Amino acid sequence: MAQALNAALRDSLRADPDVLVFGEDVGALGGVFRITDGLAAEFGEQRCFDSPLAEAGIVGTAVGMAMYGLRPVVEMQFDAFAYPAFEQITSHVAKLRNRTRGKIELPMVIRIPYGGGIGGVEHHSDSSEAYYTHTPGLTVVSPATPADGYSMLQEAITASDPVVFLEPKRRYWTKAEVELPAVTEPMRRAVVRRAGTDVTLLAYGPMVTTAMEAAEAARAEEGREVEVVDLRSLSPLDADTVCASVRKTGRAVVVHEAPVFGGYGAEVAATISQRCFHYLEAPVARVGGFDIPYPSPKLEEHHLPHTGRVLDAIADLQWEEDR
């Protein structure tokens, strides 16, 4: 996936002279995850350059650039490093179009490597998606596959309004054959990754792979056919695809890394309950991180959802044999 994201940035820089990339260590170093590797050498320091360690300044500068017609793509080095820029994002990035009655667009992308699973300490492993999805005016997306990494990032860069692009850092090393330029489904649309009839697993970003593994285990161990829906876009939520799947299966489990309380899964569960209530065979379940500050690296394997916890959630749904 890392190479797919790098290719998307490179192809966007080649295609549009208004696109530029900046952030902490994204220049000569190529970023801590090497997503911008080689871009400064190819396009020069006018189009791919390092910034000071000042996230609010990075986003604020991008706002000014976008107001004057450029298409900045900025990198927040780690998820929690973006919090100093939160005021810029919520007060200005998200509101400028509405504040100017549509006269000013902000075509900018904020890339945020997020989530755990790499042995990082606190400030390096947060799943902060709910902060952004709760802010009207932002499009929030998260790819789960290399092909989506390429296609969705290119689409985000060409969008007229700001996109928060959440990159699942534990999946940077996911490998797949991708023929470039890859064009997948539009980034605001959810996709069914695996068809099933008994229960729907709803996941995004890093948890799509976990959901797929759990679906295979459920078939092998219990004979249950599990459908997996990759949400891809968190705001807006593709409720039509989600509800079509849940109406078919009658059961749903939402899986994400973030703590369950107040997490994004609550919004998905509420949407399903409102739109699919008469189709549900059981209450919507959620599997997520525990409601604690992110633990030390030695404990994160217990904190993050894994196949066993997803299977337990599926088993706890109301099944005919339990009645």
Side-chain angles (χ1 to χ4, degrees), residues 118-177:
I118 64 166
V121 295
E122 64 174 6
H123 299 105
H124 296 70
S125 304
D126 278 14
S127 295
S128 45
E129 60 270 27
Y131 300 139
Y132 304 110
T133 59
H134 190 63
T135 304
L138 299 176
T139 295
V140 184
V141 300
S142 183
T145 68
D148 263 359
Y150 179 91
S151 182
M152 292 171 68
L153 183 54
Q154 280 222 314
E155 185 177 350
I157 293 171
T158 59
S160 299
D161 291 303
V163 177
V164 175
F165 197 86
L166 298 171
E167 299 172 2
K169 66 171 82 78
R170 69 189 299 186
R171 305 303 179 198
Y172 273 151
W173 302 277
T174 298
K175 297 184 184 302
E177 293 290 334

Side-chain angles (χ1 to χ4, degrees), residues 192 194-201 215 219 223-228 244-252 279 281 319:
V192 177
R194 184 183 190 279
T197 55
D198 295 330
V199 57
T200 299
L201 293 182
R219 169 188 281 175
R224 287 176 175 144
E225 295 297 335
V226 179
E227 184 149 301
V228 176
S245 176
V246 175
R247 286 169 182 159
K248 180 177 70 173
T249 65
R251 296 176 175 85
Y279 295 84
E281 299 286 345
W319 299 93

Side-chain angles (χ1 to χ4, degrees), residues 18-62:
D18 289 333
V19 175
L20 47 86
V21 175
F22 65 101
E24 297 162 0
D25 296 324
V26 305
L29 180 64
V32 293
F33 295 106
R34 301 299 186 267
I35 306 301
T36 58
D37 191 32
L39 301 183
E42 180 173 348
F43 298 98
E45 60 183 17
Q46 295 297 313
R47 298 191 65 200
C48 181
F49 54 91
D50 293 333
S51 69
L53 303 182
E55 290 80 7
I58 294 171
V59 174
T61 300

Side-chain angles (χ1 to χ4, degrees), residues 62-87:
V63 169
M65 289 177 170
M67 289 175 66
Y68 282 90
L70 298 175
R71 292 185 176 274
V73 182
V74 301
E75 177 180 303
M76 301 285 104
Q77 199 167 72
F78 285 91
D79 31 65
F81 290 12
Y83 298 156
F86 197 62
E87 193 276 335

